[in-house]
Amino acid sequence: MRPNVIVVLTDQQRWDTVGPLTPNLDRMARHGTQATVAITPQPVCAPARAALQTGRYPTTTGVHRNGRVLPPEERTLAHHFGAAGYATGYLGKWHLAGAEPVPEEQRGGYRSWLGANALEHTSDAYRTIVFDEAGDPVLLPGYRSDALVDAAIRFVADHHDEPFFLFLSLLEPHHQNEVDNYPAPDGYEERYQGAWLPPDLAALGGTAHRHLGGYLGQVKRLDEGLGRLLDALRSLGLLEETIVAYTSDHGNHFKTRNAEYKRSCHDASLRVPLALRGPGFDGGGAIARPVSTLDLPPTLLAAAGLPVPEEMQGRSFLPLLRDARADWPEEVFFQVSESEVGRGIRTSRWKYYAVAEDADPWDDPAAGRYREQALYDLESDPYELVNLAGHPSHDGVAAGLRERLARRIAEAEGAAPEIEPAAARPAPHQAMTDPEVRLRGPKPVRIGHQRP
């Protein structure tokens, strides 16, 4: 019997919100499978969502920025699960259409529909307006994430006697656009205002001092909703036969890296939670090697026993559950649009990033020439506060990463660009860059007077 599948997608959730604040997600990660370094292929809404639906890079689907429509010929998870006899449903924010309400032909093949293209514009915290299959508006009562979780529980109850694939797309912890604020449920912001700041936010300023309380309050309520959804599956006898995947489209740097919240090369924008439970994932442990959320669609299909289409550019990470040394790329490739046309890779230790300085960030999906802009040593600088690009001490590291980035761009986009090194600048500290020297360590030094 094939498992049911539920994807829970949040919007703009940082990777480092998982833990004591989120006991349900933390429990799911510990008892199931957690990708500890999960990277979005594009740190902005529509491109990331197109990738999650298709397993293809944003430049491949044509959704390289917000405002682009997912082409009707693109095959989504709904098409693949639907063809295998699954009931398919979509709830919440879509952001891949050209109109509101979303026309049927732009719903990515989902049969059951209760959503909005831009939920942040059709709703606020306590007034959730979505549209049904007929395009009629529906007011869902309660706090926004609660209202959508309630709808998900109703979908599960209605389809408990057949295999189903449900995509639950929540807006929180995204800001409410028109007021630039993070409206948490009553009493939740007060719980977390003045809480611990991640080191990047503490060092770089931004708006976290105003917004983190509401943001964390939203995350807390999301976790409570996840717990209610899991409880509903348990009460219906479906928990052990349902795969539940939890992730986000991108993170949030709270206006520390540019004038808004994402669209940068930093882990605050790129790194997201990713945890799975259910058949094939329970007891899987932690995947320490970097993976992309582009890999989630083929992973879910493979876990359900369905073929992974050749056109998908992601790959199933199920082999990593069985063998941590399985064949797997050492780096994750990502694209950046709208703020700039950028390309980068993220390994366990290094972040390397280049920007097309002459490209139009809105209109140009790609470029033929990039310049190195950022290099971070994540082992010693996990919050990316010291940019090593252009420092002579790291020329060798940069050269190797530059070659790997060019190869990954060619594989993903079909053309190999030129990547120019960053202009040289003084190093903030001396570093040994020869890997053999790092492994051997320095030559022993005689201390004090010793007899020959």
Side-chain angles (χ1 to χ4, degrees):
M1 181 176 177
R2 286 179 176 160
N4 307 307
V5 180
I6 300 175
V7 177
V8 180
L9 179 69
T10 64
D11 195 326
Q12 208 162 273
Q13 185 176 357
R14 288 174 64 103
W15 65 276
D16 51 8
T17 57
V18 179
L21 179 68
T22 57
N24 292 297
L25 178 56
D26 188 52
R27 189 180 308 111
M28 185 171 126
R30 284 187 285 108
H31 291 275
T33 297
Q34 179 184 18
T36 59
V37 181
I39 303 297
T40 182
Q42 245 265 38
V44 70
C45 290
R49 290 159 185 274
L52 282 166
Q53 292 298 328
T54 65
R56 287 150 61 81
Y57 284 105
T59 50
T60 304
T61 63
V63 188
H64 66 274
R65 60 162 172 82
N66 284 343
R68 304 277 293 184
V69 175
L70 185 67
E73 64 270 17
E74 286 291 335
R75 301 283 289 174
T76 70
L77 283 170
H79 290 117
H80 300 305
F81 278 105
Y86 279 68
T88 60
Y90 197 92
L91 298 169
K93 177 176 173 176
W94 179 239
H95 216 156
L96 294 172
E100 194 79 272
V102 177
E104 183 177 0
E105 65 275 12
Q106 294 182 11
R107 297 177 191 163
Y110 285 92
R111 296 172 189 168
S112 176
W113 182 268
L114 195 61
N117 193 53
L119 188 60
E120 57 267 54
H121 299 307
T122 68
S123 66
D124 60 33
Y126 281 96
R127 184 175 172 78
T128 305
I129 304 291
V130 288
F131 299 89
D132 62 16
E133 291 94 343
D136 294 327
V138 177
L139 172 64
L140 300 179
Y143 182 72
R144 183 164 42 204
S145 63
D146 292 342
L148 289 169
V149 168
D150 290 344
I153 292 171
R154 287 193 294 272
F155 177 91
V156 168
D158 289 345
H159 297 277
H160 70 279
D161 57 351
E162 60 181 326
F164 60 80
F165 170 68
L166 173 63
F167 204 104
L168 171 58
S169 177
L170 301 158
L171 183 64
E172 282 70 29
H174 194 282
H175 57 290
Q176 189 68 38
N177 292 55
E178 70 274 13
V179 292
D180 190 22
N181 198 13
Y182 293 78
D186 290 348
Y188 278 61
E189 179 175 353
E190 294 84 349
R191 281 193 214 177
Y192 303 106
Q193 194 62 36
W196 171 81
L197 280 175
D200 58 322
L201 303 183
L204 300 175
T207 66
H209 63 289
R210 289 193 291 118
H211 290 153
L212 196 62
Y215 181 83
L216 295 179
Q218 290 181 334
V219 170
K220 181 64 176 177
R221 191 66 158 236
L222 286 168
D223 188 71
E224 293 169 349
L226 174 64
R228 289 197 301 112
L229 178 59
L230 296 175
D231 283 347
L233 290 169
R234 179 179 287 110
S235 72
L236 291 167
L238 299 175
L239 186 62
E240 301 310 316
E241 57 194 64
T242 302
I243 295 169
V244 180
Y246 183 106
T247 192
S248 193
D249 56 352
H250 52 78
N252 189 340
H253 62 69
F254 287 97
K255 301 187 180 180
T256 54
R257 304 295 186 168
N258 54 40
E260 41 85 49
Y261 297 109
K262 52 244 184 192
R263 302 177 181 89
S264 83
C265 71
H266 306 90
D267 271 14
S269 289
L270 292 166
R271 192 172 171 185
V272 294
L274 178 56
L276 304 98
R277 68 154 321 279
F281 297 101
D282 287 343
I287 298 173
R289 296 168 74 175
V291 302
S292 172
T293 53
L294 189 80
D295 301 319
L296 184 58
T299 300
L300 293 175
L301 290 173
L306 301 180
V308 176
E310 291 185 4
E311 64 266 21
M312 282 193 172
Q313 294 172 290
R315 57 189 292 184
S316 167
F317 52 71
L318 286 178
L320 293 178
L321 275 66
R322 298 186 287 268
D323 181 2
R325 297 168 297 180
D327 179 41
W328 192 260
E330 292 300 316
E331 71 280 324
V332 169
F333 170 65
F334 63 89
Q335 305 169 329
V336 175
S337 71
E338 297 191 19
S339 61
E340 55 202 9
V341 178
R343 299 291 184 268
I345 52 174
R346 206 281 196 189
T347 74
S348 294
R349 177 167 183 179
W350 301 103
K351 171 77 63 63
Y352 181 81
Y353 183 63
V355 170
E357 297 168 322
D358 298 327
D360 186 305
W362 188 254
D363 290 329
D364 294 337
R369 176 177 298 174
Y370 296 84
R371 183 181 297 277
E372 177 185 306
Q373 186 184 83
L375 172 65
Y376 294 104
D377 183 348
L378 302 170
E379 189 174 281
S380 60
D381 180 29
Y383 284 89
E384 301 167 301
L385 299 175
V386 180
N387 186 357
L388 300 169
H391 295 310
S393 62
H394 287 72
D395 280 350
V397 171
L401 293 169
R402 188 178 309 120
E403 182 179 325
R404 289 161 73 175
L405 175 59
R407 183 175 66 249
R408 292 302 300 267
I409 294 174
E411 290 172 358
E413 302 176 15
E418 178 184 351
I419 303 176
E420 301 176 1
R425 52 184 175 149
H429 53 76
Q430 285 300 113
M432 292 182 296
T433 57
D434 187 298
E436 291 188 6
V437 172
R438 287 201 301 271
L439 289 172
R440 290 196 309 265
K443 188 175 182 180
V445 176
R446 181 178 296 169
I447 300 174
H449 178 70
Q450 297 182 11
R451 298 177 66 178

